[in-house]
Amino acid sequence: IIVHAGAATEQAGIFASSPQAFNTVYDVNVGGAVRLVQAFAPAMQGAGRGNFVFISSINARMGAPSLAAYAASKGGLETFMKGFALEVAADGLRANCVAPASIDTAMLRASFDQQPDPAAALANMMRRLRDDASLTRRAVSDALDVAESAVESWEAASRNHQRLPGA
């Protein structure tokens, strides 16, 4: 099992962000996945089995203020995973994304701290999570929560190239 959990962001709105910053975020969050696949998939294909798990984000489809580069890159990661999964399914490889809701990290806290009203930004995010019927878990998670959700999702997944909802 290969797990890609790349997470880079720039704490800036769309108009304040540079193209170079978008490229840097994309290189970590999508380019890192490409490099892992290119490094490890050939041996797995030779063995006729293997699993790739990519950690995406709810922001791939919801977006987030001041996290446009991050959200766009996670959307790109999910699309990359789908194409990769289709290319290697016949070789016995599986690929899935786990798309957690917000994970309590320094990166998340920094994004709230940059908002004019951090408490209101957190409350707005929690409202958006509460109102999203597709989520199985709606609270801000910690890393252990995400890992437990990923294991549950992998055990439940029977198809290749799934985007597995929320931690």
Side-chain angles (χ1 to χ4, degrees):
I1 295 175
I2 303 295
V3 178
H4 174 267
T9 194
E10 179 192 28
Q11 304 292 331
I14 292 170
F15 299 110
S17 184
S18 70
Q20 294 80 10
F22 265 79
N23 287 339
T24 298
V25 170
Y26 190 87
D27 184 55
V28 171
N29 297 349
V30 180
V34 172
R35 290 185 289 276
L36 278 175
V37 160
Q38 290 173 340
F40 292 101
M44 292 175 156
Q45 287 172 300
R49 63 187 179 90
N51 295 291
F52 284 83
V53 178
F54 303 95
I55 307 300
S56 182
S57 170
I58 190 173
N59 289 310
R61 66 184 158 86
M62 288 185 76
S66 298
L67 293 175
Y70 176 78
S73 71
K74 291 301 185 170
L77 176 65
E78 290 185 11
T79 302
F80 165 76
M81 178 275 307
K82 289 175 185 177
F84 169 64
L86 292 169
E87 286 185 25
V88 298
D91 299 324
L93 277 64
R94 286 182 12 164
N96 292 289
C97 273
V98 176
S102 295
I103 304 170
D104 187 13
T105 63
M107 187 172 81
L108 177 69
R109 288 187 295 276
S111 73
F112 288 128
D113 289 345
Q114 292 201 356
Q115 299 300 312
D117 184 346
L122 175 62
N124 183 50
M125 182 200 67
M126 295 304 289
R127 179 190 50 75
R128 289 173 64 206
L129 294 176
R130 182 190 66 239
D131 293 345
D132 189 331
S134 71
L135 295 177
T136 56
R137 296 181 184 174
R138 292 178 174 81
V140 175
S141 303
D142 61 20
L144 182 58
D145 236 7
V146 173
E148 288 171 353
S149 179
V151 169
E152 291 168 9
S153 297
W154 299 328
E155 290 172 350
S158 60
R159 283 190 22 226
N160 202 11
H161 71 276
Q162 291 187 18
R163 178 187 186 276
L164 304 171

